[in-house]
Amino acid sequence: MTADRTKRNCLAVILAAGESTRMKSSQSKVLHPVGNRPMIAHVVDALAKAGISDIALVLGRDAEKVEAAAKNAAVTSSVHIQTERLGTAHAVLAARAAIAKGYDDVLVVFGDTPLITETPLIAARDGLAAGADVVVIGFETADPTGYGRLLVENGELLAIREHKDASEAERAITYCNGGLMAIDGRKVLDLIDRIGNNNVKGEYYLTDIVEIVRAAGGRAIAVEAPEEELTGCNTRAELAVIERLWQQRRRHEMMIEGVSMTAPETVFLSYDTVIGRDVTIEPNVVFGPGVTIESGTVVHSFSHIEGAHVAADAEIGPYARLRPGANLGERAKVGNFCEVKKAEIGAGAKVNHLTYIGDAVIGAKTNIGAGTITCNYDGINKHITHIGANAFIGSNSSLVAPVSIGNGAYVASGSVVTEDVPDDAVAFGRARQENKPGRATIIRARNQALKDAKKKAAE
């Protein structure tokens, strides 16, 4: 009778101690981001979604940084340092202290497979619950060159044959080893301790566990995952491939949920991007971390949004930049070549073009004219600009914070505002215009004379 997986406890061992040599990086490869999130954090998230609450991190370089990146409120993790690199089985045994606490299931995964989802992890655990001692997660591929082949017969996994050791018939097999596996927690230490290093590299390979368990009268099986989910990362080129695959997956999920993307391949999302239904995203838009876009909003082309919240039916761009702390109300507009940082833009307010709004609060239905700048920084401190509802800020105005402009107030175009403006007042903060008849002719003649003199001197 098949046991209930949900009644079995499980430890996941994440192998992340590699030196990342081929990445040619100053940091561990598992810290490199996918969707603006360290790749190891994606792996931990998949484990949490699979219902696994205990994790053993096998780490090497940047151990403290990797531990911090792997933090997840849904799991409890322990750190185990691998000081030598003697193969995958040896790496798992670095977490012996955690394994020895006693678990029904032990799941071995890699920190550099950020595309893994909970589905194959659950399937592997279900295999253990059904009576298998070892469950290997494999994948079908059109080009199996270089991969270990899974030799399966009548539902039983007989062995994992490395490509270099495979016969011609075995090399024709397209079912390959993904590296991830689940092992009966009551037997795992005994099985791994039996693995030897009688091979060219003198290393202890976890794949040998399949034949060891069968020789002991146990049972090994394989479960299949999509090839994409088992994509590992060793180089910057492979990191770019993983990023592309992750973006494709996330875009597809959003479009299925009701988001429109004119050219989805040009839209770049972050791991925590939240976009509501009936949002339209035009080409070449980038979402950094911490963005929520509510329903009905239109994001025009070439906009960059990070750390911002946009309410329903708003309009952004084209060529707009929303920086952290930007908060747009319903039906608000931030138009072309505008930048908003740490500012509240009220419902129906318009910041149409060529404007910088930083450290500001703007009331509902206020209009901000082209070229307006909130002068929020004095060289040491940031200051707030308050603009009330239904106000009108004329084009090319500089609002020198701290300053408040009241409800319904007008600021004349070209003004430099340094004092508060009361409700319903009009503020002029510019020099009086004075015309000098004929003066332009005199200036042109003077400038031409200077030019002629410089030319003569050069001759």
Side-chain angles (χ1 to χ4, degrees):
M1 181 180 293
T2 301
D4 184 352
R5 164 181 45 82
T6 61
K7 294 180 180 179
R8 298 166 62 92
N9 61 9
C10 180
L11 173 72
V13 179
I14 303 180
L15 305 184
E19 291 295 331
S20 311
T21 305
R22 283 178 283 175
M23 289 290 285
K24 294 181 170 58
S25 175
S26 60
Q27 63 179 354
S28 169
K29 69 178 175 181
V30 300
L31 293 174
H32 284 262
V34 173
N36 288 312
R37 187 188 200 187
M39 65 175 77
I40 194 169
H42 289 278
V43 176
V44 175
D45 188 56
L47 292 168
K49 289 178 180 177
I52 298 164
S53 58
D54 290 343
I55 292 175
L57 297 166
V58 177
L59 307 179
R61 67 181 299 192
D62 297 324
E64 291 185 1
K65 292 180 180 179
V66 175
E67 180 185 9
K71 289 285 186 186
N72 187 307
V75 304
T76 300
S77 61
S78 58
V79 173
H80 309 269
I81 303 300
Q82 184 185 8
T83 56
E84 295 181 281
R85 308 290 183 268
L86 298 177
T88 47
H90 178 263
V92 174
L93 288 180
R96 182 187 291 272
I99 297 170
K101 291 181 180 179
Y103 290 88
D104 298 311
D105 305 338
V106 171
L107 191 63
V108 179
V109 300
F110 298 108
D112 66 345
T113 55
L115 298 177
I116 192 70
T117 69
E118 67 273 19
T119 303
L121 304 178
I122 290 172
R125 291 194 62 203
D126 283 340
L128 294 181
D133 298 298
V134 173
V135 183
V136 173
I137 299 177
F139 63 96
E140 286 283 354
T141 181
D143 181 12
T145 305
Y147 294 114
R149 307 306 203 277
L150 299 184
L151 309 185
V152 179
E153 185 176 295
N154 298 322
E156 301 285 327
L157 178 60
L158 305 183
I160 301 174
R161 189 79 74 233
E162 295 303 321
H163 179 86
K164 63 182 183 299
D165 299 323
S167 66
E168 286 302 313
E170 289 170 341
R171 289 186 179 187
I173 295 170
T174 56
Y175 195 18
C176 298
N177 176 33
L180 287 66
M181 68 173 66
I183 309 168
D184 186 330
R186 298 162 299 181
K187 302 178 181 180
V188 59
L189 289 177
D190 177 59
L191 291 172
I192 295 179
D193 281 335
R194 296 189 193 185
I195 295 174
N197 65 341
N198 186 24
N199 52 66
V200 174
K201 289 188 176 181
E203 294 185 350
Y204 300 86
Y205 297 131
L206 190 60
T207 50
D208 291 347
I209 199 172
V210 173
E211 293 182 79
I212 289 172
V213 76
R214 287 184 56 81
R219 181 168 179 254
I221 63 171
V223 295
E224 185 178 345
E227 181 179 3
E228 173 185 302
E229 291 194 23
L230 299 174
T231 305
C233 182
N234 290 303
T235 67
R236 308 280 183 147
E238 291 172 350
L239 180 63
V241 170
I242 288 172
E243 181 72 32
R244 175 175 57 81
L245 294 172
W246 186 90
Q247 291 288 344
Q248 288 175 348
R249 176 197 292 177
R250 193 71 191 97
R251 294 174 196 134
H252 179 75
E253 291 170 349
M254 286 191 172
M255 288 187 287
I256 293 298
E257 291 299 316
V259 176
S260 293
M261 297 185 188
T262 309
E265 68 279 5
T266 69
V267 175
F268 291 87
L269 306 161
S270 287
Y271 71 98
D272 59 351
T273 304
V274 177
I275 301 179
R277 292 183 179 180
D278 297 316
V279 169
T280 297
I281 304 172
E282 293 183 355
N284 299 297
V285 174
V286 175
F287 295 94
V291 175
T292 296
I293 309 290
E294 295 187 15
S295 62
T297 289
V298 177
V299 183
H300 294 292
S301 297
F302 296 100
S303 294
H304 189 289
I305 306 172
E306 179 179 358
H309 184 280
V310 180
D313 301 314
E315 187 175 355
I316 302 167
Y319 294 96
R321 185 181 182 196
L322 303 185
R323 290 171 57 195
N327 191 350
L328 277 59
E330 291 186 4
R331 302 177 307 284
K333 179 179 179 181
V334 173
N336 51 296
F337 301 103
C338 292
E339 180 177 350
V340 177
K341 187 272 295 185
K342 200 176 180 181
E344 301 280 337
I345 310 296
K350 296 180 179 180
V351 184
N352 279 314
H353 32 220
L354 302 165
T355 294
Y356 170 71
I357 301 296
D359 297 280
V361 177
I362 297 175
K365 298 184 179 179
T366 282
N367 186 86
I368 307 295
T372 296
I373 297 172
T374 57
C375 306
N376 55 328
Y377 185 49
D378 64 9
I380 298 176
N381 299 305
K382 297 290 182 71
H383 302 282
I384 305 295
T385 298
H386 291 273
I387 304 174
N390 296 296
F392 182 91
I393 310 299
S395 298
N396 201 33
S397 294
S398 296
L399 312 179
V400 183
V403 69
S404 293
I405 297 169
N407 297 323
Y410 274 64
V411 172
S413 297
S415 292
V416 177
V417 178
T418 59
E419 298 180 2
D420 291 351
V421 181
D423 291 353
D424 298 315
V426 176
F428 292 86
R430 61 193 184 201
R432 182 179 295 277
Q433 179 175 324
E434 184 177 350
N435 297 330
K436 302 288 185 180
R439 181 65 62 85
T441 302
I442 297 171
I443 292 172
R444 280 194 296 272
R446 182 191 65 193
N447 291 343
Q448 186 62 50
L450 289 171
K451 182 177 181 180
D452 291 344
K454 289 180 180 178
K455 182 178 180 180
K456 187 175 181 180
E459 292 173 351

